[in-house]
Amino acid sequence: MLFKTKENEMYNILLDYHQLLLSKTYKQLTWENGIVNLCAWLHPNTYCKLLKCVIINDCYCFFGLCRNNKYRCVVTPISKYKDYIDYNDFVSIIDYAKSIGCVSNGVIYFTCNSTLIEEIKKHKIVSWHKYYPEFIFDRNALIEMSGRSWQNKRSMIHKFKREHPNAKVRLANVFDIHGIDRVYHAWSEQKRSKGYSLHSTQTLHKELEFILSDFGKTISSIYVCEENNVIIGYVSFGLLCKDTIQTMRRSVIISPEYKGLCEYIYHEGLKMFNVESKYVNDGDGCDENSSLYFWKVHYNPIDMVKTGFVDLR
């Protein structure tokens, strides 16, 4: 069971936070504000150590415990009544962060949207910041893939389906965890060999546990692609806010044999995910010179929302 008796208080806070998200638009949030991401911090017997929520100046603030035993602000704080938090709110949050030891080597680490970063920069207290654009897509456009600009993606999907007629996408269940884990391990090893920094397998397990829980099933889903009873890829989605879903994870067996698999499972998963939305937040594309960045650009984003990190010394 995901939430035990002692965790009911945090569970109720997350339910309230989820309702707050449903009043926001994608422009007011970062990808990490999603409820699935936050619930991944909540793991049986460890939630008290890994996550705490406080409401400061009517702003929801979540602090997670890092490996160095220092708290950091996990996501952009969200105001209950305003579109964005202002500088006075931010100062109050900073003061609280200092009071709980949210400092590592004199640095307070925050995930922020561009509005907050620009506000902080005006007061000249930022020692470092970096923007990462989050990609926003029209969900119907991703599903329909109509027009010349989508020809390459359509061709890749058709070619994969033709060469792998036994490959099918379906909703995952608890019995698929080992197959998903095997795919993620193989995928992450190849990515790490190329210098990418990735989440641990433990983080994946936490997300899976939430997505497959009774609460998680109402706002998120994970889909696997299976060929001859072997899982070769998966994709997961979650509800971010009132008009937007988010891509949580997407991992496939990386091999010339499976070219087009990533595009196929993404397309099928978007069609199958039964939570209504107008937009898809696919997360950040990291460095503008990365292959992931260009892969997402080719999906014709309708918006790119700036998010980033700041260190406050």
Side-chain angles (χ1 to χ4, degrees):
M1 183 176 179
L2 180 65
F3 300 103
K4 298 185 177 180
T5 303
K6 68 176 183 178
E7 294 167 332
N8 283 344
E9 182 179 358
M10 179 61 76
Y11 178 71
N12 290 330
I13 288 173
L14 287 168
L15 288 180
D16 290 342
Y17 176 77
H18 176 56
Q19 291 302 311
L20 177 60
L21 289 179
L22 295 180
S23 70
K24 303 292 185 180
T25 68
Y26 75 79
K27 291 181 179 290
Q28 298 167 313
L29 307 169
T30 68
W31 180 93
E32 291 188 340
N33 279 120
I35 193 73
V36 179
N37 178 62
L38 283 176
C39 285
W41 290 83
L42 290 170
H43 194 265
N45 303 321
T46 61
Y47 96 100
C48 290
K49 296 180 181 178
L50 293 182
L51 187 70
K52 65 165 59 181
C53 173
V54 292
I55 298 176
I56 303 170
N57 290 10
D58 294 319
C59 300
Y60 276 81
C61 307
F62 289 91
F63 295 90
L65 191 64
C66 298
R67 293 177 182 176
N68 57 7
N69 291 321
K70 298 289 186 180
Y71 280 100
R72 57 159 283 200
C73 190
V74 179
V75 299
T76 303
I78 301 177
S79 172
K80 293 176 67 175
Y81 306 111
K82 297 178 290 189
D83 289 344
Y84 303 101
I85 70 171
D86 58 30
Y87 182 71
N88 291 331
D89 297 330
F90 184 73
V91 171
S92 296
I93 295 169
I94 287 293
D95 289 341
Y96 176 82
K98 291 178 179 178
S99 73
I100 64 169
C102 187
V103 179
S104 176
N105 297 323
V107 176
I108 298 177
Y109 183 59
F110 273 82
T111 307
C112 302
N113 57 31
S114 59
T115 302
L116 179 56
I117 290 179
E118 291 303 320
E119 184 73 16
I120 297 169
K121 285 170 63 179
K122 290 179 183 177
H123 294 81
K124 299 180 180 180
I125 60 173
V126 174
S127 64
W128 177 85
H129 71 276
K130 185 174 180 63
Y131 282 129
Y132 288 112
E134 292 188 349
F135 290 77
I136 308 298
F137 302 97
D138 182 295
R139 185 178 182 181
N140 285 335
L142 290 176
I143 292 174
E144 294 172 1
M145 287 191 170
S146 61
R148 293 183 62 182
S149 63
W150 291 98
Q151 183 175 349
N152 183 51
K153 295 295 183 185
R154 291 197 305 267
S155 297
M156 293 178 71
I157 292 173
H158 291 324
K159 184 174 186 293
F160 175 82
K161 292 169 67 174
R162 186 172 61 251
E163 294 178 352
H164 299 270
N166 295 327
K168 304 296 180 184
V169 176
R170 60 169 175 79
L171 185 66
N173 56 58
V174 294
F175 301 106
D176 296 321
I177 290 178
H178 292 299
I180 292 171
D181 190 55
R182 178 183 56 81
V183 170
Y184 181 73
H185 181 75
W187 175 84
S188 61
E189 286 298 311
Q190 291 199 37
K191 290 294 183 180
R192 288 192 177 96
S193 68
K194 297 180 180 179
Y196 289 90
S197 176
L198 302 172
H199 291 296
S200 66
T201 304
Q202 183 184 29
T203 303
L204 170 64
H205 291 170
K206 291 179 182 180
E207 289 181 5
L208 290 176
E209 183 176 355
F210 171 75
I211 292 173
L212 296 174
S213 70
D214 290 340
F215 176 35
K217 289 177 182 177
T218 65
I219 59 172
S220 57
S221 294
I222 183 167
Y223 302 94
V224 295
C225 184
E226 195 173 50
E227 183 179 41
N228 300 324
N229 298 318
V230 177
I231 293 175
I232 57 176
Y234 67 91
V235 63
S236 57
F237 301 98
L239 181 62
L240 177 60
C241 58
K242 66 180 180 181
D243 60 357
T244 308
I245 62 172
Q246 59 185 142
T247 308
M248 297 305 304
R249 287 183 180 269
R250 178 176 48 229
S251 300
V252 299
I253 298 295
I254 301 175
S255 167
E257 176 187 359
Y258 292 119
K259 186 176 181 180
L261 169 59
C262 193
E263 288 75 10
Y264 169 66
I265 192 173
Y266 187 55
H267 187 241
E268 291 297 307
L270 277 175
K271 292 191 296 182
M272 296 171 69
F273 189 42
N274 61 359
V275 174
E276 292 187 6
S277 70
K278 187 174 182 179
Y279 306 109
V280 180
N281 183 321
D282 201 60
D284 67 70
C286 301
D287 189 270
E288 293 187 1
N289 295 318
S290 69
S291 59
L292 178 60
Y293 180 91
F294 289 109
W295 190 86
K296 292 185 178 184
V297 166
H298 289 159
Y299 270 94
N300 305 321
I302 61 167
D303 201 355
M304 295 172 70
V305 178
K306 285 184 175 180
T307 64
F309 308 97
V310 293
D311 283 348
L312 308 174
R313 296 186 183 276

